Structures are given as C-alpha cells and as structure tokens.
Amino acid sequence: MSADAVVEVSGLRKRFGAVVAVDSLSFSVERGTVVGLLGANGAGKTTTLRMLLGLIRPNAGTIVVLGEPIVFGAKVLARVGSFVEGPGFIPHVSGRHNLELYWRAGGRRAGPAHIDEALATAGLDSVAGRAVKTYSHGMKQRLAFAQALLGKPELLVLDEPANGLDPKQIVFMREALTGLARKGTTILLSSHLLWEVEQTCDKVVVVDQGRLVKSGTVAEVTKSASSAYIEADDIDRAFEALRHVMGIISVSHAPPGIVVKLGTARRCDIVQALVAHGISVETVMARHSLESAFLEMVAPPEDEVAGPGGEPFTSGADHSAADHSGNGNGVLL
Ligand code: ATP
C-alpha cells in the first residue's frame, strides 16, 4: 500500500447468485484527491461502495481504508462520511434537527458534529430551520451531503452526489467537493455524469460489468480516445455515407448531429467524404473527452450494426451526445 493511499482495494469480488457484480477489482485513492468511479448502469459501482463501507461482505479481495482492513462495523469507518443508502430524513423535522438527531443516535463517532459548517458547505444554512418536507429534491440531496460531512470525515464516499441536482446545484456541488479536497479531504464518488467527473475528479476508475477497464488521471484515460461531432444539411445521408469510409470505428446519432468514433481516419477525411457525396458540412467538432474514452472502453449498446471494419455502427440515438448546450449539465449515461 502506498504511503499516501487512503483507500486500497485489491482483487475485490462480489457475487449475487448468478450475477457477478464486482470481479477482480483493484484500485487506490490517494490522500486529498477526488476519484470518480465511472460505469454504466449495473457496472458494479454501488456494490463496490457498499463493500467499502462494510455494508456488504465481499466474496474475495480486501479493502484497506486509512490503513485498516474493512469489515462490518470497522472502527475506521467512524472517520468516513458517506451517502450510499438513502438517508431517510424525518419529513416534519427541520434539516438541522435531522442532522442533530442522526448524530445523537450514534452518527458515526463521538466528538463534535460541526453541524453549522456542514450545513454551510452544503449551502443549506438559510433553510436549515425549515421542515425537510418543504425541501426540493436537490435540497434533500444536499442535506444528505451535509450529513456525510458531519464530524469532518477524512474520507467521503458518495454514490451519485449530483443525482437529481439542477445545473446550478451541480456547479455548487462541484465547487464544494473540490474545495473540500483542497483542504485535504479525500473523496471517492460514483457518477453517471461524465462531464461532471471530468470537471471534478483528479482520477477516474472505469468499471464495466464489475471489472476494472482503466484507471488514471482524466488526461491519461482520455488521450487515446478521439471522436468528432458533425452536423450536416442531410444528417441521414451523412450517416449512410460514413458507413463506407475506412478508418472509422462507429457512427451514432446524436441529434441534431452524429458522432463519429475515429480509428485511423482523420476529421478532414470525414469532411472530404461527406463533401464528395454532395453533403454540406455545417459543424465539425473534435472531442477528446472522457465521454469518448468511456464509450470506447465499455461494452457497446445492443442496437448497433457492423461498420466496414466489422466494428459496430450505432443505429439508435447516442445518449452520450456532447454537451453542446454548454450548460455544464453533462452527459447522462
Ligand atoms: P447503477 O448506476 O444503475 O446504480 P451500479 O454500477 O451501481 O449501477 P450495482 O448497483 O453495483 O451497479 O449493480 C451491479 C450488478 O449487481 C447489477 O447487475 C445488479 O442488478 C446486481 N445487484 C446489485 N445488488 C444486488 C442484490 N442485492 N441482489 C442481487 N443483485 C444485485
């Protein structure tokens, strides 16, 4: 274990009946970093986080947190703040009182809860006296975040912290997380929001069907991926035309355009091919994003047909379409 590793996961495996949810998974989280666990639905993210918190027992492998092995009720978990399970707040009780009750009922540890600071970090100080039943979904999500922050944990483990937040709250959450990391808190989060992960995380751990696909900094993970987003006057004809261009891995619809995963072909080859078919190209955008990298790493969706190199061509919509709106809301897998 490296001296700076706050979390060290090694050879982790969890099976539910015939389903292997997590398989031979190893990764580490260094002190003061924000690490994003990325994967499609059912990839094994929540199961991994639940094992890390001692909530379920792995079939094989080890997890060491802050130098101590994780078992159910491990003492070191008192130094970890989390939300993975729904927090279950009492609706008619205020946000602040909910946190007080949680802490008094055992919270995670003895010592001061730092409730005011947690509420402020979660941006809830002005509404902390209101009953939780009057909170929006985003406010409840931030109250769960505040609860995870009680007692100033050294490690935060958060399952989809941006889930259900609007774009403004997502930016708020991003700044809160990076601010905590700057002050030395280590954060492991899972997310579907690739754009968010790209903005927030120092390192990503990509899992697919329970197995590690790749880990490293966002730059390391994205460097091999290359795609182009294209808009043209006749997008259906463009889609068809590109099926016959060598060096393209796949083409998928991303309304109003298409996304082309590049193999050996360059963007200029694509433009030339389209122009040769009499198609006017209106937009060409390079994408070397985490999104492109992710799509190349994980298993393709089921509605794909083969391209010239035997590789798939997606006939359905590309739900990973670039965030052209620029609203920072990111890509929902
Ligand atoms: P999502 O983003 O949809 O939450 P995930 O990456 O968090 O997905 P997990 O919830 O860890 O994925 O699930 C991984 C696999 O294990 C899935 O196939 C899921 O159906 C299965 N699974 C998870 N928990 C259980 C359980 N308690 N019993 C049976 N199967 C389970």
Side-chain angles (χ1 to χ4, degrees):
M1 178 161 168
S2 100
D4 253 5
V6 168
V7 176
E8 191 86 47
V9 169
S10 179
L12 204 60
R13 181 179 164 85
K14 180 68 187 178
R15 195 166 35 79
F16 296 107
V19 176
V20 179
V22 175
D23 197 8
S24 313
L25 184 63
S26 303
F27 66 89
S28 61
V29 181
E30 310 295 313
R31 186 174 299 278
T33 60
V34 186
V35 172
L37 196 55
L38 267 185
N41 286 126
K45 306 179 296 292
T46 303
T47 304
T48 302
L49 298 186
R50 293 179 75 213
M51 287 192 278
L52 210 136
L53 294 167
L55 297 171
I56 51 172
R57 201 196 308 231
N59 296 111
T62 56
I63 303 169
V64 177
V65 170
L66 293 158
E68 288 183 36
I70 292 299
V71 288
F72 179 75
K75 279 211 175 87
V76 72
L77 291 170
R79 294 156 68 190
V80 181
S82 65
F83 67 77
V84 171
E85 314 282 287
F89 296 117
I90 307 167
H92 60 275
V93 166
S94 73
R96 176 190 300 279
H97 198 44
N98 261 287
L99 297 190
E100 284 164 0
L101 290 172
Y102 166 80
W103 197 252
R104 264 193 258 146
R108 288 185 317 277
R109 75 205 85 155
H114 300 283
I115 288 179
D116 287 333
E117 205 171 327
L119 286 166
T121 306
L124 291 172
D125 25 8
S126 63
V127 295
R130 268 170 49 185
V132 165
K133 66 181 174 197
T134 69
Y135 282 17
S136 67
H137 180 78
M139 286 157 78
K140 283 185 200 147
Q141 180 83 343
R142 285 187 286 135
L143 189 61
F145 177 51
Q147 182 169 292
L149 295 174
L150 293 180
K152 297 193 175 182
E154 290 164 67
L155 170 67
L156 271 176
V157 176
L158 308 173
D159 198 12
E160 303 278 356
N163 226 5
L165 300 185
D166 65 28
K168 204 169 146 198
Q169 291 181 333
I170 287 178
V171 173
F172 179 90
M173 181 65 84
R174 179 198 309 160
E175 284 169 1
L177 293 174
T178 49
L180 284 163
R182 268 198 304 277
K183 289 187 201 150
T185 308
T186 307
I187 301 168
L188 174 62
L189 58 88
S190 76
S191 186
H192 283 92
L193 296 168
L194 295 177
W195 171 256
E196 235 352 87
V197 167
E198 200 164 348
Q199 299 286 304
T200 313
C201 297
D202 303 296
K203 195 178 145 188
V204 291
V205 174
V206 183
V207 287
D208 188 32
Q209 298 174 17
R211 301 184 80 102
L212 178 74
V213 179
K214 198 158 185 172
S215 68
T217 62
V218 171
E220 283 163 355
V221 168
T222 57
K223 75 177 172 218
S224 64
S226 180
S227 300
Y229 170 77
I230 291 172
E231 287 176 16
D233 62 344
D234 187 337
I235 213 67
D236 293 331
R237 281 216 304 128
F239 184 93
E240 276 311 304
L242 292 177
R243 291 175 61 113
H244 307 290
V245 176
M246 295 305 291
I248 288 175
I249 295 170
S250 71
V251 184
S252 49
H253 287 292
I258 49 179
V259 170
V260 183
K261 274 195 233 169
L262 301 171
T264 52
R266 297 162 303 165
R267 281 192 301 281
C268 59
D269 299 329
I270 292 171
V271 175
Q272 266 174 19
L274 292 174
V275 171
H277 279 81
I279 297 163
S280 300
V281 179
E282 286 157 6
T283 304
V284 182
M285 272 167 37
R287 296 195 323 173
H288 295 275
S289 65
L290 185 56
E291 177 195 346
S292 311
F294 183 86
L295 291 170
E296 285 180 19
M297 284 183 273
V298 303
E302 279 156 18
D303 59 344
E304 291 193 338
V305 292
E311 293 285 354
F313 269 67
T314 306
S315 54
D318 181 356
H319 300 295
S320 65
D323 181 18
H324 310 299
S325 64
N327 65 7
N329 208 2
V331 172
L332 204 60
L333 283 172

